[in-house]
Amino acid sequence: MTSSGDRSTAVTAVEAQENPTYEIRTYGCQMNVHDSERLAGLLEGAGYVRAAADANGDADVVVFNTCAVRENADNKLYGNLGHLAPMKTKRPGMQIAVGGCLAQKDRDTIVKRAPWVDVVFGTHNIGKLPVLLERARVQEEAQVEIAESLEAFPSTLPTRRESAYAAWVSISVGCNNTCTFCIVPALRGKEKDRRPGDILAEIEALVAEGVSEITLLGQNVNAYGSDIGDREAFSKLLRACGAIEGLERVRFTSPHPRDFTDDVIAAMAETPNVMPQLHMPLQSGSDPVLRAMRRSYRQDRYLGIIEKVRAAIPHAALTTDIIVGFPGETEEDFEQTLHVVREARFAQAFTFQYSKRPGTPAATMDGQIPKAVVQARYERLVALQEEISWDENKKQVGRVVDLMVAEGEGRKDGTTHRLSGRAPDNRLVHFTKPADEVRPGDVVTVEITYAAPHHLLAEGEVLKIRRTRAGDAWERRTAEPAKPTGVLLGLPTIGVPAPLPVATGACGVLD
């Protein structure tokens, strides 16, 4: 974190301008999205205001919060930086900062390839951004500062959250896994857990401000407790969330099958505000491929978890991540993945064609699969999952469900005269707009009348509207004038973002 002296210097610098603006561009997993909320809070605390949504780089400070998961992540970054170079020439005083996993990985390379960048910072020292920007301005040279370990748990930083009614709550950072396709543990470090009391205190503070849904967040969320020596810490945390008055919905992402224990299933089933929804990455249904991935579970173990979850929570919606074409994958291996998909009957599966991640063991493995073969397998998997998703959604027709009204999830709502919301199992439902006012965060009761593979419709009249404290919070927030706001509450979309960011391991990708 910045010292009070550093913070005052940063504020003094931006006070010299009238309403200096910032724009943050986020790539990567849910953790990056939440980090960007913190970066926004830091900048607003230093006197900046958010640029218009269509600013497209026309801001005093542009921050790139990067991801290193995709093979072409660096090309995407440098392409965007190149687009901003002439804008910076025309706009005196404009600054560009690059942070996140790619910055942690490439360090000095960024400034060498894009010398017009002012600040490079890593995953462990996001709290330094305002100070580094000021230092770059005063010294008139790029500032590159990469911490090798976490300086302070990010939850201690100010946060400018994107929603008034739902929020991410980070319970851990880092990851102890060694999946051969993933570079994130090397960039975010070993798992470090927050104290349960600190997590619950944050949730209670959020609820007091009007938040009614929280999503517990970690690179490997259900490994929570390994750093504090309690194997049942995660299930205890879920149960403790159930005792918080006013907290209506609890979700979590993303767990790892290795750490998914019976006490977690019991806590999910027995805690009313823990939602009947589970996103659990599969990656492959083949035991040899899972072994090559170092995933530390096998097909039987995975399907056994699915069976237990369905027995305890019959209406749970299950989603997953799958990689197609991992090095060495044979046709028989791929058929095993299709077998698991048929057996598990996922509501959704977020699928990837394998691509090399620089710096990962898999990138140099023998048996790299030709692109045409990967593409053909990918199309077969997608076709199968589309069929299953549609069949599973058809089972919802006729059900009466409570939806938490969402903001910005129905792209066609304006033309169809509908609103959108999330069912308890996180399915997206578009419903007929009622005559009475309904606000994001309020709860409506509807009957499902139609199913598509990726959404449901409730075309009849809304059966019931429940105005909530969360809706009140949204109303207060939208009534406020645009100004630096410090700490606000919420998350980019209701519940687990939908569609849930595709992921490799426990690391999502929001390219």
Side-chain angles (χ1 to χ4, degrees):
M1 291 184 63
T2 61
S3 67
S4 58
D6 288 336
R7 183 64 170 272
S8 63
T9 301
V11 172
T12 301
V14 297
E15 283 175 349
Q17 308 176 53
E18 183 177 354
N19 298 325
T21 57
Y22 75 90
E23 177 186 344
I24 300 176
R25 301 186 187 183
T26 307
Y27 309 94
C29 65
Q30 302 96 322
M31 193 70 74
N32 274 25
V33 174
H34 195 21
D35 282 350
S36 288
E37 292 181 331
R38 295 180 176 115
L39 292 170
L42 287 160
L43 290 172
E44 293 192 6
Y48 293 86
V49 296
R50 178 177 291 188
D54 58 354
N56 195 27
D58 188 16
D60 295 298
V61 170
V62 179
V63 182
F64 291 87
N65 190 7
T66 64
C67 173
V69 171
R70 291 292 190 185
E71 182 180 17
N72 65 348
D74 55 346
N75 293 332
K76 187 167 188 175
L77 170 65
Y78 294 118
N80 284 317
L81 290 175
H83 175 73
L84 290 185
M87 299 180 67
K88 186 174 181 183
T89 300
K90 296 176 183 178
R91 184 172 182 142
M94 179 182 179
Q95 292 184 296
I96 299 172
V98 179
C101 289
L102 191 63
Q104 187 81 21
K105 174 176 171 286
D106 286 356
R107 307 180 182 225
D108 295 330
T109 304
I110 293 173
V111 174
K112 290 177 182 177
R113 291 186 59 176
W116 54 93
V117 168
D118 299 278
V119 170
V120 178
F121 62 101
T123 59
H124 299 308
N125 63 332
I126 64 175
K128 287 289 187 67
L129 177 60
V131 172
L132 294 173
L133 288 169
E134 174 63 8
R135 193 182 299 161
R137 186 190 69 82
V138 172
Q139 298 182 6
E140 297 184 343
E141 63 180 11
Q143 302 296 309
V144 179
E145 186 169 313
I146 305 293
E148 296 301 330
S149 59
L150 195 66
E151 294 184 346
F153 204 92
S155 60
T156 62
L157 300 175
T159 303
R160 202 288 183 195
R161 299 185 187 266
E162 293 300 321
S163 166
Y165 52 89
W168 302 108
V169 175
S170 183
I171 69 171
S172 64
V173 295
C175 181
N176 294 335
N177 294 321
T178 58
C179 301
T180 56
F181 54 77
C182 185
I183 197 171
V184 170
L187 302 178
R188 288 194 175 268
K190 293 291 186 180
E191 179 176 326
K192 184 174 179 59
D193 296 334
R194 292 176 68 189
R195 294 173 53 189
D198 293 340
I199 297 169
L200 295 172
E202 180 181 353
I203 296 172
E204 289 169 350
L206 289 165
V207 171
E209 293 290 340
V211 168
S212 60
E213 175 173 312
I214 60 101
T215 300
L216 303 175
L217 181 62
Q219 300 290 159
N220 182 10
V221 69
N222 61 321
Y224 177 75
S226 62
D227 184 48
I228 58 179
D230 185 352
R231 289 179 56 85
E232 295 188 353
F234 186 63
S235 62
K236 292 175 183 176
L237 182 62
L238 291 177
R239 293 182 185 277
C241 287
I244 297 177
E245 185 176 355
L247 180 58
E248 298 192 15
R249 295 185 173 192
V250 178
R251 305 185 192 275
F252 57 89
T253 193
S254 288
H256 192 294
R258 181 195 66 185
D259 302 299
F260 208 86
T261 49
D262 290 349
D263 60 297
V264 173
I265 297 173
M268 292 176 65
E270 297 166 9
T271 309
N273 63 356
V274 175
M275 293 295 95
Q277 172 240 335
L278 174 64
H279 180 78
M280 187 165 62
L282 168 66
Q283 307 306 0
S284 174
S286 161
D287 288 355
V289 173
L290 290 170
R291 188 176 299 111
M293 290 178 168
R294 294 185 195 156
R295 288 293 288 173
S296 68
Y297 57 88
R298 301 296 177 258
Q299 181 187 118
D300 286 349
R301 160 72 172 157
Y302 190 94
L303 288 175
I305 294 171
I306 297 296
E307 183 178 358
K308 289 180 180 179
V309 170
R310 292 206 186 282
I313 316 168
H315 294 300
L318 307 181
T319 57
T320 195
D321 307 318
I322 300 172
I323 298 173
V324 178
F326 188 81
E329 180 188 74
T330 65
E331 180 63 23
E332 182 180 355
D333 292 326
F334 179 65
E335 287 291 344
Q336 288 301 306
T337 295
L338 297 181
H339 169 71
V340 174
V341 169
R342 293 188 188 100
E343 290 293 311
R345 300 198 63 79
F346 300 111
Q348 296 286 333
F350 304 102
T351 55
F352 305 90
Q353 297 183 44
Y354 172 78
S355 62
K356 293 181 180 179
R357 276 70 165 174
T360 64
T364 57
M365 283 182 177
D366 294 334
Q368 301 288 327
I369 311 297
K371 171 65 175 176
V373 175
V374 177
Q375 180 69 34
R377 290 176 182 171
Y378 175 80
E379 291 174 0
R380 288 163 58 194
L381 174 60
V382 169
L384 173 62
Q385 183 56 53
E386 287 281 298
E387 179 185 341
I388 293 173
S389 294
W390 201 356
D391 286 345
E392 290 302 304
N393 273 359
K394 287 176 183 176
K395 296 177 183 178
Q396 307 303 309
V397 174
R399 290 188 63 195
V400 174
V401 297
D402 290 335
L403 308 178
M404 182 174 288
V405 181
E407 182 176 28
E409 291 213 47
R411 289 175 292 180
K412 299 180 181 178
D413 283 352
T415 57
T416 58
H417 304 289
R418 293 177 179 141
L419 298 175
S420 298
R422 290 276 163 183
D425 64 10
N426 207 40
R427 284 184 165 93
L428 177 63
V429 182
H430 306 299
F431 62 95
T432 301
K433 187 175 182 179
D436 294 335
E437 179 190 25
V438 177
R439 308 161 301 176
D442 287 340
V443 175
V444 298
T445 304
V446 300
E447 181 179 348
I448 305 302
T449 59
Y450 175 82
H454 302 291
H455 69 269
L456 302 169
L457 295 182
E459 300 165 298
E461 293 185 1
V462 170
L463 303 177
K464 182 181 178 182
I465 298 173
R466 177 165 63 87
R467 293 174 66 86
T468 65
R469 293 172 60 253
D472 294 342
W474 178 88
E475 192 168 16
R476 287 194 303 271
R477 178 166 175 175
T478 54
E480 292 176 356
K483 61 181 180 179
T485 49
V487 180
L488 293 177
L489 303 174
L491 121 126
T493 56
I494 183 95
V496 177
L500 187 75
V502 290
T504 55
C507 310
V509 178
L510 288 172
D511 288 342

